[in-house]
Amino acid sequence: MHANQPADRCRAQRGLTDAGAIALAVSAAAGAWWSGPVPLAVALLVVVLALGIRRPLLLVIGVALLAAALGARAWAGLEPPAQASFSGLVTLVGDPTTASFGAVRADVDAGGRRVQLTATGQAADVVARLLSGERIQVVGRLGPPPPALADQLARRHVAGRLTVDSVGVVMRGSAVHALANGLRRTLADGATPLGNDRPLFLGMVFGDDRGQSVVVADDFKAAGLTHLLAVSGQNVAFVLILASPLLSRLGLRSRWVATLAFIGFFALVTRFEPSVLRASAMAAIACTASGLGRPAPRARILALAVTAVLLVDPLLVRSLSFLLSVGASAGIIVLARPFAARVRGPRWLADVVGVTAAAQVGVAPVLLPIFGGIPLASLPANVLAVPASGPLMVWGLTGGTMAGVLGPPFDGWLHLPSSWLVGWVAAVARWGAGLPLGTLRIGHAVALVVLGGGLALLGRGAPRWVVPIGAAAVAAVLLAPVVALPSDLVGVDGGSGAALWRSGGAVVVVLDDPWVPGVLAELRDEGVRHIDVLVIRRGGRLVAGSVLELRSRVPVRRVLAPTGHRVRGAIVPAVGRTQVGGLVVDVGATEGSLEVTVVRAGAGRRT
């Protein structure tokens, strides 16, 4: 027996450890990001050889080469089409969305090439009623995508644009697509009694974020609750819980096949979004490992899932939602339990706080460089909102399906719990968005990492005074965004179509073709809690709607608009100068468009 021990130990060392699985995921991500010109045959040969001789290090190298080769092939397949007329059958690969000025867009497969379809007028009305997997006969013009959108579209494998002139016969998709679309339509029809909360319900149940108002979406973003509107591992887990009475009656092999079928069908219903792919891959790997009698740690499952997903679609390495999903999962797996152990209070509260804080740490490396910060309101908002999301998911699928089948008046009764739960989450989002807690920036994050690392290195052998001082320093860093004094603003415009001035406690905002989500985010980033004077350069219907949305979230004392405006509550100012706090608003003309100059009081030049 002793003679076999070295051989057993050698074989164990050759197996892929948890650290090796993580290295595998990192190598897949690096290779997919590089997408270099690696011959596919060479990469496959290295992977097969590594598996044959059981060399983990060689497998890591082989996976990196394979991801790079597959990534290069994916990018090579995105060469834009030349300008040409098009007439034929296209298949929707995504649900249509409404763009500006009534246009409808959808990603479609046109002759083996994925392009973005754009329809207006009567064609838009037809396309808007379709769902992914359904087919339609179209006549239009094919061409390359706009240069400004080419990179963004490429991440979705979209290589061109198809502008539709007319549409013809509509055909439903495969039987599986028809079943998935039937379920979505049933849930959507049954949610009619929810009124304005219907888009939120659909977003939280199966990730359909279409139709959500910009101000509600901004509430969720400002409160750090956007993840509740995307399908995650929690949604997949609840689906399997709902299916467990049926699955438990099956044999081991049949249960495995049925579980994978449920996971795949739910991924189809939720449109194979990046977060869905990550969660579905993890569930499938966990199910397979359990069926083989070799349950694996969650970190290993996540790493293998990331590797598999990136090999299937290397372009996902550039998807923000995929990176956030992986980061949040990694944070929860590594930090949720230690964080929860340090929270005093009921166990459920400690678990929610631990998971929320861990997820925020996990997504920080992605959010901080791209968006510049993480809202501190996310912690209390998640503690209050997350406990309601689980029951809403379970009841939304069961009661929501019954509501869609039975129709009125049963749909209203069945959706009473849904209305309470959705209303609660929406109220928490609006409350969290209004909290004056500020945003955790990169500098704050670096300080927290340094403090936390220092305390961890000192460990239990540190003097007693170190821990309270370290805790006080951490608290000071977290409070810094809250107590930060507002600075003067001089014509700040972050690209949202709004220019901001602040001086002497007064705030003046000038709108010029505003993008409301961007304006709200800009106001929040600058700590603007009220607007003394809101200036509208043009007073058309679109701007009037934007002003209405803006005023629903930010108190506005006075609105100035040009002659003939359509902005409710606005006034046409007299030509001349008016002082507001430390600012002077100089109105030059009011006909056609409002010409306004804003200067600091006492300034001798225009700003």
Side-chain angles (χ1 to χ4, degrees), residues 89-435:
L89 196 66
V90 299
T91 302
L92 274 71
V93 294
D95 295 328
T97 58
T98 301
S100 56
F101 303 106
V104 173
R105 291 175 180 163
D107 293 349
V108 301
D109 184 290
R113 184 191 295 268
R114 183 173 294 190
V115 297
Q116 185 184 67
L117 178 149
T118 301
T120 56
Q122 293 182 343
D125 296 336
V126 175
V127 175
R129 294 193 293 268
L130 302 179
L131 290 177
S132 178
E134 295 175 336
R135 294 176 288 176
I136 186 172
Q137 189 80 24
V138 303
V139 175
R141 289 155 287 129
L142 194 64
L149 299 177
D151 186 59
Q152 177 185 347
L153 293 175
R155 297 173 191 175
R156 305 202 308 261
H157 298 269
V158 175
R161 172 188 284 185
L162 175 59
T163 303
V164 173
D165 297 324
S166 63
V167 297
V169 179
V170 176
M171 305 170 62
R172 77 173 193 171
S174 65
V176 177
H177 273 101
L179 183 60
N181 291 337
L183 176 59
R184 285 178 71 101
R185 287 189 170 109
T186 299
L187 285 168
D189 292 342
T192 301
L194 294 176
N196 293 334
D197 287 336
R198 180 172 174 265
L200 279 181
F201 169 81
L202 298 178
M204 296 181 69
V205 172
F206 55 78
D208 187 354
D209 59 357
R210 299 176 300 167
Q212 293 172 8
S213 72
V214 294
V215 291
V216 173
D218 182 76
D219 287 344
F220 275 74
K221 179 180 178 182
L225 297 176
T226 306
H227 64 94
L228 296 182
L229 303 179
V231 178
S232 64
Q234 176 180 258
N235 300 70
V236 176
F238 282 134
V239 167
L240 295 178
I241 290 173
L242 292 174
S244 59
L246 173 63
L247 296 174
S248 61
R249 298 176 180 271
L250 302 176
L252 184 61
R253 182 173 298 179
S254 300
R255 187 188 312 161
W256 175 72
V257 173
T259 301
L260 294 185
F262 268 105
I263 294 171
F265 181 71
F266 184 69
L268 176 63
V269 170
T270 52
R271 303 315 191 211
F272 296 105
E273 292 294 325
S275 59
V276 177
L277 291 174
R278 190 274 311 162
S280 299
M282 286 188 67
I285 292 172
C287 166
T288 303
S290 178
L292 294 174
R294 301 174 61 183
R298 290 184 299 166
R300 185 186 187 94
I301 292 173
L302 174 61
L304 293 177
V306 169
T307 303
V309 169
L310 289 180
L311 290 178
V312 172
D313 185 1
L315 300 190
L316 281 175
V317 76
R318 299 178 185 272
S319 166
L320 177 61
S321 58
F322 180 75
L323 295 177
L324 290 175
S325 178
V326 173
S329 299
I332 291 171
I333 290 171
V334 176
L335 299 174
R337 187 172 296 176
F339 283 179
R342 287 166 172 74
V343 177
R344 296 182 180 180
R347 191 73 263 147
W348 69 267
L349 178 61
D351 289 340
V352 172
V353 172
V355 168
T356 300
Q360 293 299 319
V361 172
V363 300
V366 180
L367 287 181
L368 288 173
I370 295 177
F371 295 107
I374 299 175
L376 286 176
S378 62
L379 185 59
N382 274 275
V383 169
L384 294 174
V386 167
S389 64
L392 177 62
M393 172 65 187
V394 174
W395 182 249
L397 286 175
T398 53
T401 302
M402 290 188 290
V405 172
L406 298 175
F410 304 102
D411 53 358
W413 302 338
L414 287 166
H415 270 305
L416 282 176
S418 304
S419 64
W420 298 333
L421 292 168
V422 173
W424 170 260
V425 175
V428 170
R430 184 165 184 177
W431 169 79
L435 290 177

Side-chain angles (χ1 to χ4, degrees), residues 20-43:
I22 295 173
L24 207 63
V26 173
S27 69
W33 189 273
W34 175 44
S35 293
V38 178
L40 183 59
V42 173

